[in-house]
């Protein structure tokens, strides 16, 4: 399962490479790129966690199936992505209360941002053949959704799937905050105390006390980053510092 979280790299430049870089220049570039990627990944993880684990679009694939023993209507899923990329075949039926049912209706685990593709027996269905409303996917053109044979691998006859982006889009402007936080992680890793804006309380000192090492666990535990612009956004979207949104069962 891949997830989207934009990062503004304006403050994260890489060394320039000429048309024919030397081995040393290429190696230096590769090291800088690896360090930047690591800092970005860490910044994304920290902001995702501190904002309540609610933002970010993740692409996932589900295999809807009609309930067994009753007329087609309520649906549940076998999903791919949430369990290490493995299929989790859940008994067919309706999870919770389905307010809309019928052979033309599929209820997708939400929130659903957009449907990427619907595949039936290995063939991609034209987007004109379905319509998304909230977390509900309708079959248009007078057709019905087919039954699902979970005993066969996806792509064979009797199988079908829906690939879509699930989650809440990252708010506008957060890409810049993510880039700023990633830059501070790089400064902390470089031991640049003059430029690093991360509070000393969020940085661990080595045994000899000679160098400072960034400790991401301290930021997660503290619930703030020490960067004013970042913490103001976190306070706005997660004022109670919840680990995740509450769920009504």
């Amino acid at each position: 399962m891949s997830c989207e979280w934009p990062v503004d790299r304006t403050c994260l430049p890489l060394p320039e490479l000429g048309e024919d870089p030397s081995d040393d220049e290429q190696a230096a570039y590769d090291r800088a790129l690896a360090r930047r990627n690591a800092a970005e990944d860490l910044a994304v993880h920290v902001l995702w966690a501190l904002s309540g684990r609610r933002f970010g679009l993740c692409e996932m694939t589900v295999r809807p199936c009609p309930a067994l023993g009753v007329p087609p209507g309520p649906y549940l899923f076998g999903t791919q992505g949430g369990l290490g990329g493995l299929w989790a075949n859940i008994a067919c039926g309706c999870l919770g209360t389905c307010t809309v049912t019928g052979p033309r209706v599929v209820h997708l685990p939400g929130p659903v941002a957009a449907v990427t593709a619907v595949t039936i027996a290995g063939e991609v269905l034209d987007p004109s053949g379905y319509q998304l409303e909230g977390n509900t996917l309708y079959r248009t053109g007078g057709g019905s959704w087919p039954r699902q044979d979970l005993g066969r691998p996806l792509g064979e006859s009797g199988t079908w799937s829906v690939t879509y982006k699930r989650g809440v889009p990252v708010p506008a402007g957060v890409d810049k905050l993510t880039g700023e936080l990633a830059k501070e992680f790089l400064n902390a890793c470089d031991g640049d105390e003059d430029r690093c804006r991360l509070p000393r309380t969020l940085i661990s000192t080595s045994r000899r006390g000679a160098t400072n090492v960034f400790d991401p666990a301290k930021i997660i535990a503290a619930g703030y980053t020490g960067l004013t612009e970042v913490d103001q956004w976190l306070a706005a979207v997660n004022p109670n510092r919840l680990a995740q949104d509450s769920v009504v069962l």
Side-chain angles (χ1 to χ4, degrees):
M1 180 169 58
S2 59
C3 299
E4 300 175 5
W5 188 294
V7 179
D8 186 327
R9 298 189 174 95
T10 303
C11 59
L12 299 169
L14 292 172
E16 294 185 4
L17 281 179
E19 295 183 359
D20 186 22
S22 66
D23 291 343
D24 289 342
E25 290 173 335
Q26 185 64 57
Y29 178 89
D30 292 342
R31 287 194 299 270
L33 178 60
R35 292 177 65 254
R36 188 182 76 174
N37 289 344
E40 289 179 0
D41 289 344
L42 190 55
V44 167
H45 178 77
V46 166
L47 291 184
W48 171 74
L50 294 185
S51 60
R53 295 174 170 83
R54 72 184 66 178
F55 298 113
L57 297 179
C58 300
E59 187 172 86
M60 64 183 302
T61 299
V62 297
R63 293 181 61 175
C65 60
L68 299 177
V70 297
Y75 287 80
L76 230 166
F77 312 86
T79 65
Q80 183 182 37
L83 298 174
L86 302 177
W87 286 103
N89 293 330
I90 308 171
C92 294
C94 184
L95 183 63
T97 301
C98 291
T99 57
V100 179
T101 63
R104 299 177 58 190
V105 180
V106 169
H107 296 275
L108 301 174
V112 180
V115 172
T116 304
V118 176
T119 304
I120 300 177
E123 298 293 330
V124 177
L125 181 65
D126 189 279
S128 63
Y130 55 86
Q131 179 176 329
L132 179 67
E133 293 185 7
N135 298 332
T136 304
L137 187 65
Y138 290 88
R139 185 74 163 92
T140 58
S144 300
W145 293 117
R147 290 189 175 273
Q148 181 81 254
D149 186 351
L150 293 175
R152 294 187 176 189
L154 186 62
E156 289 191 359
S157 175
T159 69
W160 66 291
S161 66
V162 180
T163 300
Y164 67 101
K165 293 183 178 180
R166 180 183 184 184
V168 178
V170 178
V174 176
D175 59 332
K176 296 183 181 298
L177 300 180
T178 308
E180 287 290 340
L181 185 58
K183 181 183 71 173
E184 298 308 322
F185 289 162
L186 287 175
N187 290 340
C189 290
D190 289 339
D192 192 336
E193 297 184 10
D194 294 332
R195 292 194 302 166
C196 182
R197 297 166 58 200
L198 296 175
R200 291 181 180 274
T201 54
L202 301 181
I203 298 178
S204 297
T205 303
S206 65
R207 292 182 179 179
R208 297 182 180 180
T211 58
N212 291 324
V213 180
F214 168 67
D215 186 354
K218 289 191 174 184
I219 282 188
I220 300 296
Y224 68 95
T225 67
L227 305 185
T228 302
E229 62 273 33
V230 175
D231 291 338
Q232 286 179 341
W233 175 71
L234 291 173
V237 299
N238 192 17
N240 296 318
R241 297 185 179 180
L242 299 177
Q244 63 184 39
D245 280 341
S246 57
V247 177
V248 178
L249 299 177

